[in-house]
Amino acid sequence: MHVVSIMAHQDDEMRCLGTMLKCAERGDLLHFITVTDGSGGFVQRPDISREEAARIRHEEMSALASAIGAEYINIRQHDEFLYDTPEVRYAIVDALRRTKAELVFTHYKEDYNRDHTMTYELVRHCAMHACLPMMKTGTPPLKAHPAIFCVEPHGPIPFPATHFVDITQYEDRKIALLKMHVSQETAMQMALNSGFDKLCRKPDAYWGEKAGCEYAECFVGMPARGAIKPYNVLP
């Protein structure tokens, strides 16, 4: 199965990476798509150029993907200014086709960041068109609509979790991989007084208690055409 994380920014895979590692162990192929260039994520270096920031974020995400044998596609829209345009729709449709997406993780419809909620809307629309022939992108349409699951947002936003994946055996590796986003580990320590370790272990332990294990990630299916399947796709 082709498993795809399509997120607004590099490091947004935080809430599904453990599940993706578990997918890889069962033989699935992993892919990461980021819609923006991540250039707005440097609170520790506010004077950095957008080009340099984007370069660093791209290299960090590329290194993470390479470490687990995954493909990485960067659509490179301007971070914090993501809009729904024909250009972006075509790029996302083509990226989903190129990855042969069968299981997709993306943002939830409510979130603290507008780029996140815009990515949700774009994925909802583009995943439908990715398996239809009308939008020509140079890559053949998908054979079927992928299953789509939304990840838990950060912050005080109610999240109606319906699916849980035990990632106890993958928690340490997940955090080690996320720390390859060195710039964001530094930024979050400065802005939130928390790095990836704390930001992962606390919610993963909370959902693990709900699911009857030590650490878990939680999801809700996207209510879109073809996105919810009558069979199990999560590991």
Side-chain angles (χ1 to χ4, degrees):
M1 182 177 290
H2 289 269
V3 179
V4 181
S5 162
I6 177 165
M7 301 291 176
H9 311 103
Q10 301 79 2
D11 83 355
D12 286 339
E13 73 278 4
M14 186 188 311
R15 292 290 177 250
C16 64
L17 184 55
T19 299
M20 293 182 73
L21 292 173
K22 194 169 186 178
C23 286
E25 187 169 279
R26 72 180 182 183
D28 294 344
L29 298 176
L30 305 185
H31 311 264
F32 296 95
I33 301 169
T34 55
V35 185
T36 79
D37 60 12
S39 59
F42 279 78
V43 297
Q44 74 275 33
R45 295 177 60 187
D47 296 327
I48 192 173
S49 71
R50 189 175 72 84
E51 293 75 17
E52 176 66 5
R55 181 191 65 78
I56 292 170
R57 299 297 300 277
H58 180 77
E59 290 181 354
E60 291 173 345
M61 188 72 235
S62 296
L64 187 156
S66 178
I68 56 177
E71 177 186 20
Y72 172 43
I73 298 173
N74 187 356
I75 296 177
R76 300 176 186 269
Q77 294 298 298
H78 193 163
D79 189 5
E80 303 306 332
F81 293 89
L82 178 60
Y83 295 100
D84 183 352
T85 67
E87 174 193 14
V88 175
R89 288 192 186 189
Y90 273 111
I92 292 175
V93 168
D94 188 63
L96 289 168
R97 289 172 174 174
R98 285 170 57 189
T99 59
K100 300 180 181 178
E102 296 173 274
L103 169 58
V104 172
F105 297 105
T106 194
H107 297 284
Y108 185 54
K109 63 182 179 180
E110 296 180 23
D111 202 293
Y112 73 95
N113 187 290
R114 178 62 175 165
D115 283 357
H116 294 183
T117 55
M118 178 56 67
T119 298
Y120 169 92
E121 295 295 342
L122 286 164
V123 171
R124 182 176 183 176
H125 186 78
C126 293
M128 174 183 66
H129 280 283
C131 62
L132 299 175
M134 291 80 74
M135 290 184 70
K136 311 296 184 184
T137 66
T139 307
L142 298 176
K143 294 180 179 179
H145 195 294
I148 307 177
F149 286 92
C150 301
V151 303
E152 176 194 13
H154 295 276
I157 298 169
F159 184 65
T162 56
H163 293 71
F164 302 85
V165 177
D166 181 354
I167 62 162
T168 303
Q169 296 181 11
Y170 305 91
E171 184 75 5
D172 290 344
R173 178 128 193 261
K174 166 185 168 175
I175 293 169
L177 286 165
L178 287 168
K179 286 183 177 180
M180 297 179 76
H181 294 290
V182 177
S183 67
Q184 299 313 288
E185 175 74 10
T186 302
M188 289 187 290
Q189 291 285 1
M190 177 176 289
L192 304 174
N193 197 31
S194 295
F196 286 111
D197 196 290
K198 186 176 181 180
L199 288 170
C200 289
R201 291 193 192 277
K202 290 186 71 175
D204 292 352
Y206 172 83
W207 293 112
E209 182 179 8
K210 300 291 185 185
C213 58
E214 187 173 1
Y215 294 111
E217 289 174 340
C218 63
F219 308 97
V220 63
M222 178 182 283
R225 178 177 176 177
I228 294 177
K229 306 299 182 184
Y231 49 83
N232 292 329
V233 293
L234 295 174

